[in-house]
Amino acid sequence: MKSLQEQIGYNLKSIRKMRQYSLDQLSAVTGVSKGMLAQIEKGQSSPTVNTLWKIANGLGVSFSSLVEEETSGISVVRREEKSALQDVNDKYHVFPYFPYDQQKKFEVFLLELLPGCRHVSQQHLSGAEEYLFVSEGEMAVSIGDDYYELVKGDSMNFTANREHVYENKTEAVSACFLLIYYP
């Protein structure tokens, strides 16, 4: 198991190599000296929080991407282990399955719409796209003046740059997986 110092070095070097930056280029975008960056990558220096923030901001990555441990490449999400974020009327439940990843540019949620649910979702950042995969029941989706009825097994995608509404007009729970892509 790597120490935190070694993990930071490994992650920084991986990101730098992926972007094909030299240490000089990395120094230019982060404002951290080339020597300090080399020491961090080798695990010979324990950077301060401020230094890590400079690096993260310069690279346009999350702070946690520099400190998180390497995974096996396999992630199992169990519904019963997830807590829902709920809308004020307690009929719209959002389970964050895979959080936003800067490199992959998407996040995945399970949405549950209880009977009678009507959830208005505000417009997202320009260019954001939503991909819905209905896994249970029936739901209606309105995007502006356009209206769509979806049933289990249906899917749709749309540019989410305007207000959109999810509705469950049935007496049973409806659910879908939602992938949001950010360009």
Side-chain angles (χ1 to χ4, degrees), residues 62 65 68 98-107 182:
S62 69
S65 69
E68 64 191 5
F98 298 99
Y100 177 72
D101 181 303
Q102 178 71 30
Q103 295 170 352
K104 295 177 183 149
K105 300 189 178 280
F106 69 84
E107 56 192 347
Y182 302 92

Side-chain angles (χ1 to χ4, degrees), residues 10-178:
Y10 176 84
N11 291 345
L12 178 57
K13 188 171 186 174
S14 295
I15 294 167
R16 180 175 67 83
K17 294 280 187 184
M18 183 181 67
R19 299 217 178 154
Q20 299 178 342
Y21 284 170
S22 67
L23 282 171
D24 286 324
Q25 290 169 317
L26 184 59
S27 177
V29 298
T30 63
V32 177
S33 75
K34 177 181 172 181
M36 174 59 77
L37 292 168
Q39 288 179 348
I40 293 169
E41 281 191 2
K42 293 176 185 172
Q44 296 173 342
S45 176
S46 184
T48 65
V49 171
N50 285 339
T51 299
L52 287 176
W53 273 114
K54 278 184 174 182
I55 294 169
N57 289 335
L59 288 170
V61 299
S62 69
F63 183 89
S64 61
S65 69
L66 295 172
V67 298
E68 64 191 5
E69 292 182 28
E70 184 178 12
T71 63
S72 65
I74 299 171
S75 180
V76 175
V77 177
R78 301 202 188 285
R79 163 66 180 80
E80 63 272 4
E81 295 173 359
K82 288 292 183 181
S83 297
L85 304 169
Q86 299 178 1
D87 202 354
V88 290
N89 65 9
D90 196 34
K91 293 185 178 186
Y92 180 77
H93 300 174
V94 178
F95 297 87
Y97 270 38
F98 298 99
Y100 177 72
D101 181 303
Q102 178 71 30
Q103 295 170 352
K104 295 177 183 149
K105 300 189 178 280
F106 69 84
E107 56 192 347
V108 179
F109 304 94
L110 171 65
L111 305 182
E112 286 184 350
L113 286 69
L114 278 53
C117 174
R118 183 176 191 280
H119 175 77
V120 178
S121 182
Q122 300 303 311
Q123 70 183 32
H124 301 309
L125 297 173
S126 179
E129 298 175 28
E130 289 196 9
Y131 293 80
L132 293 172
F133 305 90
V134 181
S135 60
E136 185 178 341
E138 303 174 16
M139 67 177 59
V141 179
S142 301
I143 307 161
D145 293 331
D146 298 322
Y147 178 84
Y148 306 90
E149 291 185 354
L150 305 171
V151 298
K152 181 178 178 176
D154 289 350
S155 61
M156 73 179 294
N157 80 297
F158 56 93
T159 303
N161 60 352
R162 53 190 168 150
E163 184 178 277
H164 41 286
V165 179
Y166 300 107
E167 284 185 90
N168 179 357
K169 297 179 180 182
T170 72
E171 297 300 317
V173 173
S174 297
C176 71
F177 287 94
L178 171 65

